[in-house]
Each structure stands twice: as structure tokens, then as C-alpha cells.
Amino acid sequence: MWKYIGIKECNEFLLSLNLFKCKNKKKYIKVLYSIGNNIEENYNIYKIKKRNGKYRTIYEPNSLLKHIQKKILINILNNKTISKYAKAYHKGISLKDNAIPHANKKIILKLDIKNFFESITFANIYNSCFQIEYFPKSVGILLTTLCTYDNHLTQGSPTSAYISNLVMKEFDEELGIWCEENNISYTRYSDDMTFSGNFNPSDIIVKVRKMLYKLGLQLNNDKTHIIKNSSSQNVTGIVVNEKVQVNIKYRKSIRQEMYYIKKFGLNSHLNKINVNIDKIKYLNKLYGKILYILQINENDKEFNDYKNIIKKINLID
């Protein structure tokens, strides 16, 4: 389709994408290519500590590049469909949707993709998101560049999450269909893959490893978990043994806080636990925890009562 297109037509295509406001057409094109040619200079890189003590590298684009990436997400990427097996990074999907397919199953197998974002390469992104069928080659290459750092996907860019789903679409579809044929439930939440049913885990592990290899991805062997229904089966923080429910430890901590608030009052409770926090901030945080539980189980009478109590306290204060 784009075989005989020239520089002028490519520039017109880029202008039509309206990636940032600029009345001067030549300047608009110049800025895009300038950012693309110096992409690493447009990121602020820092590390945040994870729960396991290790560090995650965050690549934060500067304000202009972030704006451009948001436009690419809204005007281009969001128009592309992802697999029904992908349960993260798109509207209308929650943690509950990732957990429901795995409720009340004999075996749960959890697999993790090693260095997920950083292992998704320039070629992966170009071929999945900006391929020649829909974009002139130079435009597709520039758009891919604007969504990467050092030729890989980053944690911190607005486009990265949705791109990861697009890159994994064929993988998800092929694996999901195979699982359905074998009476296995499959979902993927970012780099976390979950399988449930009655099966031999090694069969799935071998198949997934081969499929990931074709994409240049690997399994994280340290995060492979097989959980039988005789133990607590947890899927992205939600217990699924018999019904979908937030784990008991999380629920118990909220129950305890509400008990002391009802017994002693909010001010006395905060004084007793010696928490140096604004009352409104504390209530909002507690309210958010309660809403999370109700998101998973909206008919939970106990936590609906807690929700109403917090709302009344906030009104009084």
C-alpha cells in the first residue's frame, strides 16, 4: 500500500495524527524526528524499591514526550483490539475478572514472564502495533521509537501497558484456544499467567516456554507456583478456592480497625495506635480498602455496613 509513498506523504500522515499542538507544520515534523533521534535524552530514569527488596527501574518521559505518547495511545493503539485472555491494562477489566475463571478448580498453575517490559523489543512493537500494512515504514519506525527506550519497552510510559497486550495478542489467542480445547482456564495479567483445571502442570510449562521463546521472552522459574485446592489458592491477591474473595488477612485487618473505631471513636483510635496522619486521609485510605473488597464482592453485608459508617463519620467531621 505504501510502496510508492514519498517524504511529503509521510509528513502529511504524521501531521494527520495530531500528536501535539503546533501550527507550524515544518516545526511539528522537526520536533518529532528530533525527539526520535535523541529518545534517551527525553527520559528521567530512577529506581523504586519492590517488596522483595530488589529495585524496579522506571523510565519517565518528559512532559512533551509523555503528551505525544498519550496521543499515540488514544489516537492509534486504543483502536486495536487485544485478546480476551488479557486481563490488565484496559477499561472495564479488573482484578476480579482475572480471578473469576479460576474459582473452585483442582489445580492452579502460576507462571511469570521474566523482565517482561524490558524484554519486549523494538521489532516486537513495530510488528504488532505500527506494521507496514497500516503505516508508511518511516512513520511506523518513528512511532515505535517514540514508544521505546534503548530499543525496548519501558515501565513508566503511557503507551507501554497497552503495547504489551498487543505484542502478546497472538500468543494469548493461540495459548487460550489450546487451553480451552484441553478444558483449562487461562488468563494473563501483565507478566502473570494463570492456568486452572485438572492437568499436568509440566505439559503447560513446556508449551508456554516454547511459545515465549518465539517472542524472545523467558519464564521466570523462581515464580512458578503450583497450588492445589487443599491450600489457599490466590490469583492476583484474590482467593479463589470456592468463591472469589479477598484474602482473610486483609479482611481481618479492616475488621479490627472498624471494631476500635466503633468502640472508642475515631480520635481515640488514632491516638491509641499513635498514627500521625490527618483524620480525613486516614478515613479515605480505609474507605478505599473497603471499596476494594466490595469491588470483589459487592454483596458483602459486613463491608457495606463499614462503608456506610465511614461515610457518616466523614460527614460529621
Side-chain angles (χ1 to χ4, degrees):
M1 180 178 177
W2 309 106
K3 188 174 180 181
Y4 302 107
I5 196 169
I7 294 174
K8 182 181 177 182
E9 290 78 11
C10 286
N11 289 344
E12 288 297 326
F13 192 104
L14 282 169
L15 286 163
S16 71
L17 296 176
N18 192 29
L19 298 179
F20 68 98
K21 289 183 180 180
C22 183
K23 293 181 180 180
N24 187 315
K25 294 181 179 181
K26 287 185 178 180
K27 184 178 179 182
Y28 173 92
I29 299 299
K30 185 178 179 181
V31 168
L32 287 180
Y33 277 102
S34 176
I35 293 173
N37 290 332
N38 302 278
I39 194 68
E40 283 82 5
E41 296 176 11
N42 289 272
Y43 281 90
N44 175 34
I45 304 171
Y46 58 92
K47 294 181 182 293
I48 58 173
K49 197 171 185 178
K50 298 193 288 186
R51 290 181 181 178
N52 61 9
K54 295 182 180 180
Y55 287 85
R56 176 180 286 113
T57 303
I58 302 297
Y59 301 81
E60 184 180 14
N62 62 30
S63 58
L64 178 56
L65 179 55
K66 184 179 286 188
H67 177 83
I68 291 169
Q69 289 174 345
K70 285 181 179 178
K71 284 290 188 178
I72 292 173
L73 177 65
I74 295 167
N75 296 344
I76 301 172
L77 300 175
N78 280 345
N79 295 321
K80 297 176 179 288
T81 59
I82 63 173
S83 171
K84 67 178 183 179
Y85 304 103
K87 302 298 183 181
Y89 307 140
H90 59 110
K91 290 181 180 178
I93 293 292
S94 68
L95 288 171
K96 185 177 179 179
D97 295 293
N98 187 53
I100 286 174
H102 308 292
N104 199 22
K105 298 293 179 66
K106 187 174 182 179
I107 299 172
I108 285 181
L109 169 66
K110 297 164 74 172
L111 302 177
D112 180 85
I113 303 172
K114 188 175 183 180
N115 298 327
F116 183 48
F117 277 38
E118 292 83 355
S119 298
I120 295 177
T121 65
F122 188 99
N124 294 141
I125 299 165
Y126 176 80
N127 291 326
S128 300
C129 304
F130 308 111
Q131 60 268 51
I132 192 69
E133 288 88 346
Y134 305 104
F135 299 89
K137 187 174 182 180
S138 63
V139 173
I141 289 173
L142 176 59
L143 292 173
T144 305
T145 302
L146 292 171
C147 295
T148 57
Y149 177 95
D150 193 23
N151 294 321
H152 66 76
L153 205 58
T154 68
Q155 294 193 57
S157 296
T159 46
S160 292
Y162 205 82
I163 284 175
S164 71
N165 279 335
L166 292 171
V167 169
M168 296 297 289
K169 183 178 179 179
E170 288 187 17
F171 172 93
D172 287 332
E173 290 298 311
E174 181 183 341
L175 184 56
I177 291 170
W178 179 85
C179 284
E180 287 183 9
E181 290 172 349
N182 289 276
N183 199 28
I184 300 167
S185 296
Y186 163 66
T187 61
R188 182 181 56 79
Y189 193 92
S190 187
D191 54 353
D192 294 320
M193 294 173 284
T194 305
F195 305 83
S196 62
N198 188 8
F199 50 80
N200 182 352
S202 63
D203 293 340
I204 296 175
I205 293 170
V206 169
K207 183 170 183 64
V208 170
R209 197 184 301 279
K210 288 179 180 178
M211 290 179 64
L212 287 176
Y213 180 78
K214 293 177 183 177
L215 285 170
L217 303 174
Q218 300 177 49
L219 280 179
N220 184 343
N221 295 324
D222 294 335
K223 291 188 177 182
T224 296
H225 301 289
I226 301 166
I227 314 169
K228 296 183 179 180
N229 58 6
S230 56
S231 302
S232 177
Q233 294 176 317
N234 186 299
V235 177
T236 47
I238 301 171
V239 178
V240 296
N241 286 72
E242 294 180 4
K243 63 178 181 178
V244 176
Q245 186 65 278
V246 176
N247 73 70
I248 191 168
K249 186 177 179 181
Y250 191 89
R251 292 166 59 83
K252 190 175 180 180
S253 68
I254 296 172
R255 189 176 288 122
Q256 187 177 50
E257 287 186 80
M258 291 304 303
Y259 170 79
Y260 287 120
I261 288 172
K262 289 191 293 181
K263 185 172 182 178
F264 302 111
L266 178 62
N267 291 330
S268 295
H269 168 59
L270 291 177
N271 289 333
K272 280 180 181 292
I273 61 177
N274 196 28
V275 173
N276 186 23
I277 186 173
D278 178 76
K279 285 192 297 184
I280 301 300
K281 286 183 179 179
Y282 173 81
L283 287 173
N284 287 340
K285 187 176 180 180
L286 183 56
Y287 189 70
K289 291 179 180 179
I290 293 168
L291 289 184
Y292 168 64
I293 288 177
L294 292 175
Q295 181 186 15
I296 307 304
N297 184 0
E298 62 184 13
N299 297 318
D300 190 311
K301 185 181 182 307
E302 177 188 6
F303 284 86
N304 270 303
D305 289 343
Y306 293 160
K307 172 186 170 183
N308 292 329
I309 290 169
I310 296 299
K311 286 171 74 173
K312 286 179 181 177
I313 293 173
N314 254 332
L315 286 173
I316 292 170
D317 285 321

